[in-house]
Amino acid sequence: MTHLKSGCEAYPEQDQYIPLSTRLSLPLLPEDNRFLHLRLAALPTEKHAWILQKYRRHWTTASEAEPNTNKKQNTGRRAANRWLSAAELNNPSTHITSGGDHTLSEAVNTA
């Protein structure tokens, strides 16, 4: 008789899930996680790493520019989420080059 494997044995890669807050080294709130997952789910997986990198860059740039220590996290969060909301990530001009580098057309609104 064949023994049925548990999910962890059948799919060991599931044990290796790393939360977005850890991957990005950012203090994400549950709402940030939900928002990121919703946006990423609608996009090709080959764009995910690039999007997360840009998200982190927008967060850290805005956070570092904020002089008030108490406002740094929210300033970074707001900038990153606004970028993710406004960016036309499904636009064909947002693409990945053959070398794996990601480029974003000038036409994409990054405000």
Side-chain angles (χ1 to χ4, degrees):
M1 181 158 141
T2 307
H3 180 270
L4 296 176
K5 294 183 177 183
S6 70
C8 292
E9 293 166 337
Y11 303 100
E13 65 277 2
Q14 290 179 351
D15 287 338
Q16 298 171 10
Y17 174 75
I18 301 170
L20 287 176
S21 58
T22 303
R23 288 174 56 195
L24 295 172
S25 299
L26 295 173
L28 297 178
L29 296 174
E31 298 83 33
D32 301 323
N33 259 320
R34 203 168 20 258
F35 181 57
L36 275 165
H37 281 287
L38 285 172
R39 289 292 281 164
L40 292 174
L43 299 166
T45 55
E46 53 275 357
K47 289 186 179 183
H48 291 187
W50 176 81
I51 291 165
L52 293 174
Q53 179 185 31
K54 292 286 283 188
Y55 183 88
R56 185 177 194 294
R57 186 175 303 143
H58 280 275
W59 182 307
T60 56
T61 300
S63 178
E64 290 169 357
E66 174 57 56
N68 186 333
T69 306
N70 296 328
K71 295 182 178 182
K72 286 185 176 288
Q73 280 188 15
N74 283 336
T75 300
R77 175 176 290 110
R78 187 172 32 258
N81 288 335
R82 281 185 179 167
W83 170 78
L84 193 56
S85 292
E88 297 176 22
L89 301 171
N90 276 326
N91 186 329
S93 61
T94 304
H95 64 280
I96 301 170
T97 63
S98 60
D101 294 332
H102 305 276
T103 59
L104 186 62
S105 166
E106 305 267 353
V108 175
N109 179 8
T110 58

